[in-house]
Amino acid sequence: MTSRIWLLCALLCLAPPEFSAHFQYATVSYESLGGNTVLINVWSQFRRSFSSLSAFSGSGADGRAITGDTVDIIGVDYLNGGGSTQPVRVLTGDGSAYPLRMLVTQYSATEDFLFGYSNVTHTYAAPNDGGNDWLVTMEGCCRDVSGGGSFVVTARVNLAYESQSVAVKSLPRHVISSAPAVALV
């Protein structure tokens, strides 16, 4: 039984990119626009060929999004919704939620990704949540190869102490070919 689990794990780790889920990585940050109003910035990368539905459709020759297109970011809720589509959202920590639309700034048909940013402007009733940070989260589905695996990316907002957050850029997933390198002379 244990050897079967290890074999399954090894196969999942070696799965080609076309079998990976559509969410790859994201970072959430904010900057103050004055008073209790913030601009929430979400930089994210998704698998371009996520679905045969209209997800990530755009002006590319293949009908999918390319640089300059704006797309709704959706996920599929396999765990609770039986495969129904749900918007990927930003929750501001005070009860408000916004579906995300991404402006595509980079893409690759060969490497199968879309990268871009989404902005949300939100006004809080107070600079913080009763002395605690507001927790801004980007949440959605799906991250793992089975189609499940909801994800949450969080930033802390406390306008009483800071006017912006650090914008952490996580490393994207890279696929390295096993083909031999070509020497340039």
Side-chain angles (χ1 to χ4, degrees):
M1 178 72 162
T2 303
S3 61
R4 287 183 190 166
I5 292 172
W6 282 110
L7 177 61
L8 178 61
C9 290
L11 290 174
L12 290 176
C13 290
L14 296 173
E18 60 269 16
F19 294 113
S20 63
H22 78 288
F23 173 73
Q24 295 178 345
Y25 71 100
T27 185
V28 178
S29 62
Y30 79 93
E31 58 186 274
S32 172
L33 297 178
N36 295 331
T37 302
V38 295
L39 178 65
I40 300 166
N41 303 297
V42 179
W43 288 90
S44 54
Q45 182 168 306
F46 291 85
R47 187 164 55 104
R48 187 170 178 261
S49 66
F50 156 55
S51 124
S52 60
L53 304 172
S54 62
F56 303 148
S57 63
S59 60
D62 61 356
R64 297 203 181 272
I66 61 172
T67 302
D69 288 342
T70 301
V71 296
D72 292 317
I73 303 176
I74 63 167
V76 179
D77 188 355
Y78 290 106
L79 301 176
N80 301 314
S84 64
T85 59
Q86 305 291 329
V88 172
R89 306 176 304 160
V90 165
L91 295 103
T92 58
D94 64 354
S96 296
Y98 301 90
L100 289 179
R101 290 185 54 80
M102 177 175 68
L103 174 64
V104 178
T105 59
Q106 296 176 0
Y107 84 99
S108 173
T110 305
E111 296 176 26
D112 196 17
F113 74 84
L114 292 175
F115 177 79
Y117 67 89
S118 308
N119 290 326
V120 172
T121 302
H122 180 73
T123 301
Y124 289 100
N128 56 40
D129 188 12
N132 297 311
D133 299 339
W134 296 109
L135 295 179
V136 176
T137 58
M138 171 193 179
E139 70 171 24
C141 183
C142 296
R143 187 174 180 108
D144 66 28
V145 295
S146 67
S150 296
F151 56 85
V152 176
V153 182
T154 304
R156 296 177 173 272
V157 176
N158 194 328
L159 296 168
Y161 301 110
E162 298 176 345
S163 62
Q164 65 184 29
S165 66
V166 174
V168 176
K169 303 287 174 136
S170 61
L171 294 175
R173 179 190 60 147
H174 288 282
V175 177
I176 300 173
S177 173
S178 59
V182 176
L184 298 175
V185 182

